[in-house]
Amino acid sequence: MTRDPAQDYFRGTAYPAFFHREQAPAWIASVAAALGRAAPDPARARWCEIGCGQGYAAAVLAAANPGMRLTGIDIDPGHIETARARAAAAGLENLDFICGDIRDPGLVAGEFDYIVTHGVLSWVGDAVRSAIADFIARHLAPMGIAAVHYMSEPGGAAFRAFHEVFRSVAHRPDPVAEGLRALSAMRDAGAGFFQLYPHAGPTLDKLLADPPAYVAHEYLNAVFRPLSFREVAGLFSAADLGWIGSATPIENIDAVSLPADAAQVIAPIREIALRETLKDMARNQALRYDLFARPAAPLDGPAHLDLLRRWSWRLLPGAPAPGGLVFQTRIGPVDGDARIFRPLLARLGEGPAGFAELERIQPFAGRPGLLNQALQTLLWSGAAHPVLPVGDPAPSARLNRHLLAERARDQAVPALACPALGSGLAFGVADLDALAAGRAERDLRQLTALKG
Ligand SMILES: C[S@@+](CC[C@H](N)C(=O)[O-])C[C@H]1O[C@@H](n2cnc3c(N)ncnc32)[C@H](O)[C@@H]1O
């Protein structure tokens, strides 16, 4: 295989551990159901991550879903070594890591129900990007779903200027610190760039607080390429994969994710590429998380309802009290009507409930579409989540104990495995301390399988 080294990904330092909830089959399948698309059973899914980094998400999902079979692929041997060590320490047997280049066509055999890739597509060259689309086309099961994260146009384009600054100091001993210093000085000096792009300042503040290794992977790579929806959808349509919606649930609901005037302009437009491009313009979208799948006949109304009724929902720790809500979105604060959210939060506050039961509550009777949107909004906001039947909680208990022990040695713990969610959940410092000391509230101990 001949390779252009300019396509090669940054290798200076290990990428930090992250957990992205959009990578969980439970999340993807419930968002797909909301969109009217049936997806493979999350509890038994075959799952693959392209560019898995140090495999943190793979480990959490493997522990939370013992019936799943997971594969993480990454080109960086150091990342794969860390990933394998963590999986072995927690005794996770349903998880494999492959060290290799996604451009290698013989990397893996078989098919996957879910293929995810996060933080890769915009940071690799065209050949790697095409290889990722080819891999997904070759390995996605007929009813499978791919979740693809990338930096998008037009909101992401401004950060090319950041990339240029970091790349200009890449040869210096501490390029991250040098780049951040130069950008901060320009902002303090009132540089026109920061005035023209008001979202660049908050991003710089975030970078100043982020681990330097994260900043290095973000901005020291040879490639930093915000992509347009049209380009990405084109890449996947050439591989016979169509766009089914966003993995970010509110972006599938115009009423809560678009300014009202822009929503009116976009409403009559049917072509997906134009609609999504205009939506990205309305929100000045900097990141996208898109779902792709093979073409399938759309479900009719009754079949869609039947699909939605297979799901049960519960509140997550820290969910707001019943009442009206304010959602902090890309377009600013959006009000959540108390007539919708008060009864929903009140019922879920009593314990998990199935979609069919929630449909009987006012104002949802005869309005399943409204309930569907309300639940997707709560999912996005972190207030509610689908509940899965719990299989064996032991792997979650083992992994979570191991992660809490790593935390005692100053390792980051971005999420713990939660078998009832089929996913992971981020916990604050106080909750992690309480869980480690065995004095957390019962619900937290149950969620994380740390009962003892
Ligand atoms: C920014 S990290 C993202 C890690 C993880 N997905 C996450 O979001 O936390 C990108 C990862 O892609 C991997 N990568 C880059 N090019 C690759 C290639 N050609 N084949 C396989 N992995 C690759 C890198 O080694 C790196 O671990």
Side-chain angles (χ1 to χ4, degrees):
M1 192 174 29
T2 16
R3 285 180 194 144
D4 171 6
Q7 303 265 323
D8 285 344
Y9 185 86
F10 175 76
R11 288 275 184 89
T13 163
Y15 191 65
F18 285 105
F19 179 79
H20 308 290
R21 56 194 188 164
E22 298 86 351
Q23 298 187 316
W27 178 283
I28 298 171
S30 71
V31 174
L35 292 163
R37 168 100 192 189
D41 179 0
R44 281 198 291 275
R46 297 159 298 174
W47 176 98
C48 174
E49 180 173 5
I50 302 169
C52 64
Q54 53 162 281
Y56 195 96
V60 167
L61 293 175
N65 302 278
M68 261 173 75
R69 181 84 236 163
L70 300 94
T71 305
I73 299 173
D74 203 282
I75 198 169
D76 186 323
H79 285 171
I80 292 296
E81 201 181 310
T82 307
R84 285 183 180 147
R86 186 187 294 108
L92 300 175
E93 289 169 356
N94 54 342
L95 172 60
D96 295 311
F97 289 105
I98 296 172
C99 186
D101 188 330
I102 203 67
R103 282 171 285 184
D104 177 354
L107 210 51
V108 59
E111 58 182 32
F112 301 101
D113 300 306
Y114 294 89
I115 301 181
V116 303
T117 186
H118 188 117
V120 184
L121 216 62
S122 287
W123 291 266
V124 292
D126 295 343
V128 181
R129 206 172 297 120
S130 297
I132 290 172
D134 288 349
F135 179 95
I136 295 175
R138 279 199 313 278
H139 293 284
L140 193 65
M143 286 306 290
I145 298 186
V148 178
H149 164 275
Y150 55 98
M151 175 145 274
S152 67
E153 297 276 359
F159 301 110
R160 282 187 228 241
F162 280 21
H163 184 234
E164 286 306 315
V165 170
F166 283 106
R167 290 291 290 173
S168 306
V169 294
H171 58 285
R172 300 208 189 157
D174 189 349
V176 168
E178 294 269 0
L180 289 171
R181 224 182 341 264
L183 286 168
S184 301
M186 289 311 288
R187 176 174 59 178
D188 293 348
F193 170 81
F194 285 95
Q195 291 168 32
L196 189 59
Y197 299 105
H199 64 304
T203 298
L204 177 56
D205 288 332
K206 185 182 163 300
L207 291 177
L208 287 162
D210 277 327
Y214 167 82
V215 182
H217 280 257
E218 188 87 359
Y219 287 109
L220 288 173
N221 250 308
V223 179
F224 177 89
R225 183 118 134 65
L227 298 157
S228 72
F229 170 79
R230 204 175 50 77
E231 284 179 274
V232 176
L235 189 67
F236 285 96
S237 82
D240 199 27
L241 293 160
W243 180 77
I244 59 169
S246 172
T248 306
I250 61 160
E251 289 174 8
N252 299 317
I253 308 169
D254 292 354
V256 283
S257 66
L258 290 175
D261 291 346
Q264 253 185 0
V265 175
I266 295 169
I269 296 169
R270 290 284 142 255
E271 300 97 314
I272 288 175
L274 181 58
R275 268 180 75 81
E276 290 305 304
T277 303
L278 295 182
K279 284 184 183 181
D280 285 346
M281 195 177 262
R283 305 171 182 139
N284 196 26
Q285 192 90 12
L287 290 169
R288 286 188 63 110
Y289 219 138
D290 285 317
L291 300 175
F292 292 95
R294 297 191 202 290
L299 297 181
D300 61 17
H304 189 189
L305 201 49
D306 182 52
L307 182 61
L308 292 171
R309 287 177 179 159
R310 289 184 212 163
W311 290 86
S312 289
W313 293 81
R314 60 157 287 161
L315 289 188
L316 290 181
L325 301 177
V326 179
F327 300 108
Q328 299 301 332
T329 76
R330 279 197 70 80
I331 58 162
V334 171
D335 287 332
D337 192 334
R339 286 168 299 181
I340 294 171
F341 289 102
R342 180 177 294 120
L344 189 53
L345 290 167
R347 170 59 194 88
L348 290 175
E350 292 165 12
F355 192 92
E357 183 192 334
L358 295 171
E359 269 178 274
R360 292 196 284 275
I361 300 173
Q362 287 303 348
F364 305 117
R367 299 165 81 192
L370 182 66
L371 175 60
N372 187 21
Q373 292 196 346
L375 286 168
Q376 289 291 301
T377 307
L378 290 182
L379 173 68
W380 167 81
S381 73
H385 198 279
V387 204
L388 297 185
V390 178
D392 178 8
S396 287
R398 285 199 304 271
L399 178 70
N400 290 343
R401 275 196 210 100
H402 171 74
L403 295 174
L404 290 171
E406 280 192 340
R407 178 169 178 264
R409 294 189 292 274
D410 281 339
Q411 301 290 309
V413 174
L416 293 176
C418 298
L421 307 180
S423 186
L425 208 55
F427 291 93
V429 173
D431 285 340
L432 289 173
D433 285 345
L435 283 164
R439 55 174 168 72
E441 303 168 12
R442 191 160 160 268
D443 186 37
L444 290 199
R445 283 187 282 123
Q446 267 180 347
L447 253 183
T448 53
L450 293 169
K451 287 188 192 147

